[in-house]
Amino acid sequence: APDITCPLPQTVQALSADGAIITYKAAVDDVVDGPLVPVCSPASGTPFGRGSTGVTYTVTDSHSNSVSCGPVEMKVVGEALSS
């Protein structure tokens, strides 16, 4: 079965009235398949509204072994900073 390590929770400042874009990556490896790419929900790089959102990571290897981790808290705080 794959071995998955979730990223740490993040807290970021809102960049607009809609919140902020947060990027993250889980580390995944499998003895047979090597490095694998997990499915993140919501996906990394998508907009997050203000408040907390739990991100769950799932990966499946070539033998249909599946593992998940999370939810990991991603938080957008404050108002958008003015320039």
Side-chain angles (χ1 to χ4, degrees):
D3 182 33
I4 188 169
T5 303
C6 272
L8 295 174
Q10 293 185 45
T11 299
V12 300
Q13 178 71 37
L15 299 177
S16 73
D18 295 328
I21 292 177
I22 303 177
T23 58
Y24 39 82
K25 184 177 177 183
V28 181
D29 195 34
D30 185 79
V31 173
V32 175
D33 295 332
L36 298 170
V37 177
V39 173
C40 306
S41 179
S44 177
T46 59
F48 283 75
R50 282 185 292 240
S52 295
T53 302
V55 177
T56 303
Y57 307 83
T58 304
V59 66
T60 304
D61 68 13
S62 63
H63 293 94
S64 297
N65 298 308
S66 182
V67 294
S68 296
C69 68
V72 175
E73 182 181 40
M74 301 297 170
K75 186 185 291 185
V76 177
V77 297
E79 301 295 323
L81 300 175
S82 59
S83 49

